[in-house]
Amino acid sequence: MPEYELRHDWRLQEIEALFALSFPDLLFRAQSTHRRHFDPNTVQVSSLLSIKTGACSEDCAYCPQSARYDTGLPREDLLPVEEVIAAARVAQEQGASRFCMGAAWRSPRDKDIDRVVAMVEGVRELGLETCMTLGMLSDGQTARLKEAGLDYYNHNLDTSEAYYSEIITTRTYQDRLDTLKRVRDAGINVCCGGIVGMGESDSDRSGLLLELANLPKHPESVPINMLVRMEGTPLAGDAKLDPLVFVRTIAVARILMPRSYVRLSAGRTDMSDEMQALCFLAGANSIFYGEKLLTAANPAASHDRQLLARLGMRMAGTTVEYMEKASERRGLA
Ligand code: SAM
Ligand code: DTB
Ligand code: SF4
């Protein structure tokens, strides 16, 4: 692979220039990059479960789980481990290869970690990859999660540093970067991306991708979420982003982070099949799969299977190597 492809020294103007390419030029470049590193017809699928819902102390303007907004969302305490394992089993039967568990916390309390660790161990035992998103972590917590065998930790930068304070005031951009560093240093794979369609400028979208691409190591997984305008949140009435700008954002992410999985994440219920096909062409190679994200709707699993079939694409199975490890753990090898 040419060295220039894994850069960590991007300048904002260069990224803005990629966004400014003609749509055919941008998509051709993104698809060419994609093909050098991935099978362009395969999509990794992850399923999500909210393991603790609502009543969150933070003020993220997009989020229905913040205690500050009246969104009518029922709150739920940390789920029992068996309930989480049962949901993971269903996701696996539907074809998911990774199970992502999300909690509406600013950061977990140490006393929550024992149960969270049991969830990671139980889901791994099924032969699924594991991902958690629990907010900010301490060094001790990342060590516990690593020891439990957590594969990925999701913690998003959400937007550019410049626009961040318009969206969240209860924790800083630097707090997020600090957690990402702890996760990376603990040897857990990083899942980090953001949200577009929150009223940010073109330059903010470039700024978000600049931060991601210039991290010391590219995140293994980069979720690009389209804002889901949730009733009762400050952003509920925001104008819809031009779908072609969303596709461009995916394409630029693919060019900047050639070896990362770029996930076409939240917001797919508002996207046509054709728009999603364009996102795959632009280099997206991962989706959230299953009827629900954390609290918002997601396309039906059967619809996604049909869409991939219509496109002649397929879901990536859990890697053989991973399945072998799982059966070894279960003493079946
Ligand atoms: N509380 C933890 C945190 O904030 O890190 C973990 C869960 S939080 C819901 C995970 C991510 O979901 C957020 O960082 C944000 O990027 C995404 N998200 C939340 N609400 C969203 C919405 N309405 N539309 C799109 N993405 C959303
Ligand atoms: C991510 O980037 N998107 C997912 C996952 N990481 C945790 C969450 C999307 C949440 C959409 C709104 C909801 O379901 O509440
Ligand atoms: Fe809480 Fe996470 Fe929602 Fe922010 S995004 S309000 S931290 S659940």
Side-chain angles (χ1 to χ4, degrees), residues 141-179:
Q141 292 172 336
T142 50
R144 294 266 339 257
L145 292 170
K146 174 66 186 172
E147 203 180 282
L150 182 69
D151 296 298
Y152 291 82
Y153 194 78
N154 166 244
H155 198 62
N156 291 336
L157 287 176
D158 279 351
T159 189
S160 68
E161 186 168 17
Y163 195 62
Y164 183 85
S165 60
E166 301 288 322
I167 302 296
I168 298 141
T169 70
T170 48
R171 55 182 158 161
T172 64
Y173 214 68
Q174 190 58 47
D175 287 332
R176 294 200 181 233
L177 292 167
D178 291 347
T179 291

Short mmCIF file of all heavy atoms in Angstrom, two decimals, residues 141-179:
data_model
loop_
_atom_site.label_atom_id
_atom_site.label_comp_id
_atom_site.label_asym_id
_atom_site.label_seq_id
_atom_site.Cartn_x
_atom_site.Cartn_y
_atom_site.Cartn_z
N GLN A 141 -10.82 1.46 34.67
CA GLN A 141 -11.97 0.89 33.95
C GLN A 141 -11.56 0.33 32.59
O GLN A 141 -12.02 -0.75 32.20
CB GLN A 141 -13.06 1.96 33.81
CG GLN A 141 -13.68 2.32 35.15
CD GLN A 141 -14.62 3.51 35.08
OE1 GLN A 141 -14.52 4.36 34.18
NE2 GLN A 141 -15.55 3.57 36.01
N THR A 142 -10.69 1.04 31.88
CA THR A 142 -10.25 0.49 30.58
C THR A 142 -9.50 -0.82 30.81
O THR A 142 -9.67 -1.77 30.04
CB THR A 142 -9.34 1.47 29.78
OG1 THR A 142 -8.31 1.93 30.63
CG2 THR A 142 -10.11 2.63 29.21
N ALA A 143 -8.72 -0.89 31.88
CA ALA A 143 -7.97 -2.12 32.16
C ALA A 143 -8.94 -3.28 32.42
O ALA A 143 -8.74 -4.38 31.91
CB ALA A 143 -7.05 -1.91 33.37
N ARG A 144 -10.00 -3.02 33.18
CA ARG A 144 -10.98 -4.09 33.46
C ARG A 144 -11.66 -4.57 32.19
O ARG A 144 -11.90 -5.75 31.98
CB ARG A 144 -12.05 -3.60 34.45
CG ARG A 144 -11.58 -3.29 35.83
CD ARG A 144 -11.68 -4.41 36.86
NE ARG A 144 -12.59 -5.51 36.68
CZ ARG A 144 -13.75 -5.67 37.31
NH1 ARG A 144 -14.18 -4.76 38.15
NH2 ARG A 144 -14.48 -6.74 37.11
N LEU A 145 -12.01 -3.61 31.33
CA LEU A 145 -12.71 -3.96 30.09
C LEU A 145 -11.79 -4.76 29.16
O LEU A 145 -12.22 -5.72 28.52
CB LEU A 145 -13.24 -2.71 29.39
CG LEU A 145 -14.39 -2.00 30.13
CD1 LEU A 145 -14.69 -0.64 29.49
CD2 LEU A 145 -15.67 -2.86 30.12
N LYS A 146 -10.54 -4.36 29.10
CA LYS A 146 -9.57 -5.08 28.26
C LYS A 146 -9.42 -6.52 28.76
O LYS A 146 -9.44 -7.47 27.99
CB LYS A 146 -8.23 -4.34 28.28
CG LYS A 146 -7.10 -5.05 27.57
CD LYS A 146 -7.35 -5.15 26.07
CE LYS A 146 -6.29 -5.99 25.39
NZ LYS A 146 -6.60 -6.27 23.99
N GLU A 147 -9.29 -6.62 30.08
CA GLU A 147 -9.12 -7.94 30.70
C GLU A 147 -10.33 -8.85 30.41
O GLU A 147 -10.19 -10.06 30.23
CB GLU A 147 -9.01 -7.70 32.20
CG GLU A 147 -8.33 -8.75 33.01
CD GLU A 147 -8.35 -8.28 34.47
OE1 GLU A 147 -7.53 -7.42 34.82
OE2 GLU A 147 -9.22 -8.75 35.23
N ALA A 148 -11.51 -8.24 30.35
CA ALA A 148 -12.73 -9.02 30.08
C ALA A 148 -12.78 -9.46 28.62
O ALA A 148 -13.61 -10.27 28.23
CB ALA A 148 -13.96 -8.18 30.40
N GLY A 149 -11.90 -8.86 27.78
CA GLY A 149 -11.85 -9.25 26.37
C GLY A 149 -12.66 -8.33 25.47
O GLY A 149 -13.00 -8.71 24.34
N LEU A 150 -12.98 -7.12 25.94
CA LEU A 150 -13.74 -6.19 25.08
C LEU A 150 -12.96 -5.93 23.79
O LEU A 150 -11.77 -5.61 23.83
CB LEU A 150 -13.99 -4.86 25.82
CG LEU A 150 -14.81 -3.84 25.03
CD1 LEU A 150 -16.26 -4.31 24.89
CD2 LEU A 150 -14.77 -2.47 25.70
N ASP A 151 -13.65 -6.07 22.66
CA ASP A 151 -12.98 -5.88 21.37
C ASP A 151 -12.91 -4.41 20.95
O ASP A 151 -11.91 -3.96 20.42
CB ASP A 151 -13.71 -6.69 20.29
CG ASP A 151 -13.65 -8.18 20.55
OD1 ASP A 151 -12.53 -8.72 20.57
OD2 ASP A 151 -14.71 -8.80 20.79
N TYR A 152 -14.03 -3.68 21.11
CA TYR A 152 -14.10 -2.29 20.63
C TYR A 152 -14.73 -1.40 21.70
O TYR A 152 -15.63 -1.84 22.43
CB TYR A 152 -15.01 -2.18 19.39
CG TYR A 152 -14.41 -2.82 18.16
CD1 TYR A 152 -14.51 -4.19 17.96
CD2 TYR A 152 -13.74 -2.04 17.21
CE1 TYR A 152 -13.95 -4.79 16.84
CE2 TYR A 152 -13.18 -2.64 16.08
CZ TYR A 152 -13.28 -4.00 15.91
OH TYR A 152 -12.73 -4.58 14.80
N TYR A 153 -14.30 -0.15 21.74
CA TYR A 153 -14.98 0.84 22.58
C TYR A 153 -15.39 2.00 21.68
O TYR A 153 -14.58 2.54 20.93
CB TYR A 153 -14.06 1.35 23.71
CG TYR A 153 -14.87 2.10 24.74
CD1 TYR A 153 -15.63 1.41 25.68
CD2 TYR A 153 -14.91 3.50 24.75
CE1 TYR A 153 -16.42 2.10 26.61
CE2 TYR A 153 -15.69 4.18 25.68
CZ TYR A 153 -16.44 3.47 26.60
OH TYR A 153 -17.22 4.13 27.51
N ASN A 154 -16.68 2.35 21.73
CA ASN A 154 -17.19 3.48 20.92
C ASN A 154 -17.23 4.73 21.78
O ASN A 154 -17.81 4.76 22.87
CB ASN A 154 -18.59 3.16 20.40
CG ASN A 154 -19.29 4.41 19.85
OD1 ASN A 154 -20.31 4.84 20.39
ND2 ASN A 154 -18.75 5.01 18.81
N HIS A 155 -16.59 5.76 21.28
CA HIS A 155 -16.63 7.07 21.94
C HIS A 155 -16.46 8.09 20.82
O HIS A 155 -15.40 8.14 20.21
CB HIS A 155 -15.49 7.15 22.97
CG HIS A 155 -15.68 8.22 23.99
ND1 HIS A 155 -16.74 8.25 24.87
CD2 HIS A 155 -14.93 9.32 24.28
CE1 HIS A 155 -16.63 9.30 25.66
NE2 HIS A 155 -15.55 9.97 25.32
N ASN A 156 -17.49 8.85 20.54
CA ASN A 156 -17.45 9.72 19.35
C ASN A 156 -16.95 11.12 19.67
O ASN A 156 -17.19 11.64 20.77
CB ASN A 156 -18.86 9.83 18.75
CG ASN A 156 -19.32 8.53 18.12
OD1 ASN A 156 -18.49 7.71 17.73
ND2 ASN A 156 -20.62 8.32 18.02
N LEU A 157 -16.30 11.72 18.68
CA LEU A 157 -15.96 13.15 18.82
C LEU A 157 -17.17 14.01 18.49
O LEU A 157 -17.23 15.18 18.85
CB LEU A 157 -14.79 13.51 17.90
CG LEU A 157 -13.43 12.97 18.34
CD1 LEU A 157 -12.35 13.30 17.30
CD2 LEU A 157 -13.03 13.55 19.71
N ASP A 158 -18.11 13.41 17.78
CA ASP A 158 -19.40 14.02 17.43
C ASP A 158 -19.33 15.11 16.37
O ASP A 158 -20.08 15.10 15.41
CB ASP A 158 -20.16 14.53 18.67
CG ASP A 158 -20.90 13.40 19.38
OD1 ASP A 158 -20.96 12.28 18.82
OD2 ASP A 158 -21.39 13.62 20.50
N THR A 159 -18.44 16.14 16.56
CA THR A 159 -18.38 17.20 15.56
C THR A 159 -16.99 17.83 15.61
O THR A 159 -16.08 17.29 16.25
CB THR A 159 -19.53 18.23 15.81
OG1 THR A 159 -19.57 19.14 14.72
CG2 THR A 159 -19.37 18.98 17.12
N SER A 160 -16.81 18.96 14.93
CA SER A 160 -15.49 19.62 14.97
C SER A 160 -15.27 20.22 16.35
O SER A 160 -16.22 20.47 17.10
CB SER A 160 -15.45 20.75 13.94
OG SER A 160 -16.34 21.78 14.35
N GLU A 161 -14.03 20.50 16.65
CA GLU A 161 -13.72 21.14 17.94
C GLU A 161 -14.40 22.50 18.00
O GLU A 161 -14.94 22.89 19.04
CB GLU A 161 -12.21 21.27 18.11
CG GLU A 161 -11.86 21.79 19.48
CD GLU A 161 -10.38 21.68 19.80
OE1 GLU A 161 -9.56 21.50 18.89
OE2 GLU A 161 -10.06 21.79 21.01
N ALA A 162 -14.43 23.20 16.87
CA ALA A 162 -14.99 24.56 16.84
C ALA A 162 -16.50 24.57 17.13
O ALA A 162 -17.01 25.46 17.79
CB ALA A 162 -14.71 25.21 15.49
N TYR A 163 -17.20 23.57 16.65
CA TYR A 163 -18.67 23.57 16.78
C TYR A 163 -19.13 22.86 18.06
O TYR A 163 -20.28 22.97 18.47
CB TYR A 163 -19.27 22.86 15.55
CG TYR A 163 -20.76 23.11 15.36
CD1 TYR A 163 -21.26 24.39 15.16
CD2 TYR A 163 -21.67 22.05 15.39
CE1 TYR A 163 -22.63 24.62 15.00
CE2 TYR A 163 -23.04 22.26 15.22
CZ TYR A 163 -23.51 23.55 15.02
OH TYR A 163 -24.86 23.77 14.85
N TYR A 164 -18.23 22.14 18.68
CA TYR A 164 -18.57 21.25 19.80
C TYR A 164 -19.36 21.94 20.90
O TYR A 164 -20.37 21.41 21.39
CB TYR A 164 -17.26 20.64 20.36
CG TYR A 164 -17.46 19.65 21.46
CD1 TYR A 164 -17.74 18.31 21.18
CD2 TYR A 164 -17.40 20.05 22.80
CE1 TYR A 164 -17.93 17.39 22.20
CE2 TYR A 164 -17.59 19.14 23.82
CZ TYR A 164 -17.86 17.81 23.52
OH TYR A 164 -18.06 16.92 24.53
N SER A 165 -18.93 23.16 21.28
CA SER A 165 -19.59 23.82 22.43
C SER A 165 -21.02 24.25 22.11
O SER A 165 -21.79 24.57 23.00
CB SER A 165 -18.77 25.01 22.91
OG SER A 165 -18.66 25.91 21.84
N GLU A 166 -21.40 24.24 20.84
CA GLU A 166 -22.80 24.52 20.46
C GLU A 166 -23.69 23.31 20.76
O GLU A 166 -24.91 23.40 20.78
CB GLU A 166 -22.92 24.77 18.94
CG GLU A 166 -22.10 25.94 18.42
CD GLU A 166 -22.69 27.27 18.86
OE1 GLU A 166 -23.93 27.37 18.89
OE2 GLU A 166 -21.89 28.17 19.18
N ILE A 167 -23.06 22.17 20.93
CA ILE A 167 -23.81 20.90 21.04
C ILE A 167 -23.76 20.32 22.45
O ILE A 167 -24.75 19.77 22.94
CB ILE A 167 -23.24 19.87 20.01
CG1 ILE A 167 -23.31 20.42 18.58
CG2 ILE A 167 -23.93 18.52 20.09
CD1 ILE A 167 -24.72 20.66 18.06
N ILE A 168 -22.60 20.44 23.10
CA ILE A 168 -22.43 19.85 24.44
C ILE A 168 -21.65 20.84 25.31
O ILE A 168 -20.61 21.35 24.88
CB ILE A 168 -21.60 18.54 24.35
CG1 ILE A 168 -22.34 17.51 23.50
CG2 ILE A 168 -21.34 17.94 25.75
CD1 ILE A 168 -21.47 16.71 22.60
N THR A 169 -22.16 21.07 26.53
CA THR A 169 -21.39 21.96 27.42
C THR A 169 -20.90 21.23 28.66
O THR A 169 -20.11 21.77 29.42
CB THR A 169 -22.25 23.17 27.88
OG1 THR A 169 -23.25 22.69 28.77
CG2 THR A 169 -22.90 23.90 26.70
N THR A 170 -21.38 20.00 28.90
CA THR A 170 -21.08 19.34 30.17
C THR A 170 -19.79 18.51 30.15
O THR A 170 -19.44 17.91 31.16
CB THR A 170 -22.26 18.44 30.58
OG1 THR A 170 -22.64 17.66 29.45
CG2 THR A 170 -23.46 19.26 31.02
N ARG A 171 -19.14 18.41 29.03
CA ARG A 171 -17.79 17.83 28.98
C ARG A 171 -17.10 18.37 27.74
O ARG A 171 -17.76 18.77 26.78
CB ARG A 171 -17.78 16.31 29.02
CG ARG A 171 -18.63 15.69 27.96
CD ARG A 171 -18.63 14.18 28.09
NE ARG A 171 -19.81 13.65 27.44
CZ ARG A 171 -19.93 12.40 27.06
NH1 ARG A 171 -18.97 11.54 27.25
NH2 ARG A 171 -21.04 11.99 26.47
N THR A 172 -15.78 18.38 27.78
CA THR A 172 -15.03 19.08 26.73
C THR A 172 -14.54 18.12 25.64
O THR A 172 -14.56 16.89 25.82
CB THR A 172 -13.79 19.77 27.34
OG1 THR A 172 -12.92 18.74 27.85
CG2 THR A 172 -14.18 20.73 28.45
N TYR A 173 -14.10 18.73 24.57
CA TYR A 173 -13.49 17.96 23.48
C TYR A 173 -12.27 17.21 24.01
O TYR A 173 -12.05 16.04 23.68
CB TYR A 173 -13.08 18.94 22.37
CG TYR A 173 -13.21 18.39 20.97
CD1 TYR A 173 -14.46 18.13 20.42
CD2 TYR A 173 -12.07 18.17 20.18
CE1 TYR A 173 -14.59 17.65 19.12
CE2 TYR A 173 -12.19 17.70 18.88
CZ TYR A 173 -13.45 17.44 18.35
OH TYR A 173 -13.58 16.97 17.07
N GLN A 174 -11.50 17.91 24.86
CA GLN A 174 -10.31 17.29 25.42
C GLN A 174 -10.66 16.07 26.28
O GLN A 174 -9.97 15.06 26.24
CB GLN A 174 -9.49 18.31 26.24
CG GLN A 174 -8.11 17.80 26.65
CD GLN A 174 -7.24 17.39 25.45
OE1 GLN A 174 -7.14 18.12 24.46
NE2 GLN A 174 -6.63 16.19 25.50
N ASP A 175 -11.80 16.15 27.03
CA ASP A 175 -12.24 14.97 27.81
C ASP A 175 -12.39 13.78 26.88
O ASP A 175 -12.03 12.65 27.20
CB ASP A 175 -13.62 15.22 28.46
CG ASP A 175 -13.55 16.19 29.63
OD1 ASP A 175 -12.50 16.27 30.28
OD2 ASP A 175 -14.58 16.86 29.89
N ARG A 176 -12.98 14.04 25.72
CA ARG A 176 -13.22 12.93 24.77
C ARG A 176 -11.90 12.38 24.26
O ARG A 176 -11.70 11.16 24.17
CB ARG A 176 -14.07 13.40 23.61
CG ARG A 176 -15.46 13.78 24.07
CD ARG A 176 -16.43 13.79 22.92
NE ARG A 176 -17.73 14.19 23.42
CZ ARG A 176 -18.85 13.51 23.22
NH1 ARG A 176 -18.84 12.41 22.51
NH2 ARG A 176 -19.99 13.95 23.71
N LEU A 177 -10.99 13.29 23.91
CA LEU A 177 -9.68 12.84 23.40
C LEU A 177 -8.95 12.04 24.48
O LEU A 177 -8.29 11.04 24.18
CB LEU A 177 -8.85 14.04 22.94
CG LEU A 177 -9.40 14.75 21.69
CD1 LEU A 177 -8.72 16.10 21.47
CD2 LEU A 177 -9.21 13.88 20.43
N ASP A 178 -9.10 12.46 25.74
CA ASP A 178 -8.43 11.74 26.83
C ASP A 178 -8.96 10.31 26.95
O ASP A 178 -8.19 9.36 27.12
CB ASP A 178 -8.63 12.48 28.17
CG ASP A 178 -7.88 13.81 28.21
OD1 ASP A 178 -7.01 14.04 27.35
OD2 ASP A 178 -8.17 14.62 29.11
N THR A 179 -10.30 10.16 26.87
CA THR A 179 -10.86 8.80 26.95
C THR A 179 -10.38 7.96 25.76
O THR A 179 -10.01 6.79 25.91
CB THR A 179 -12.40 8.84 27.03
OG1 THR A 179 -12.75 9.37 28.30
CG2 THR A 179 -13.03 7.47 26.88
#
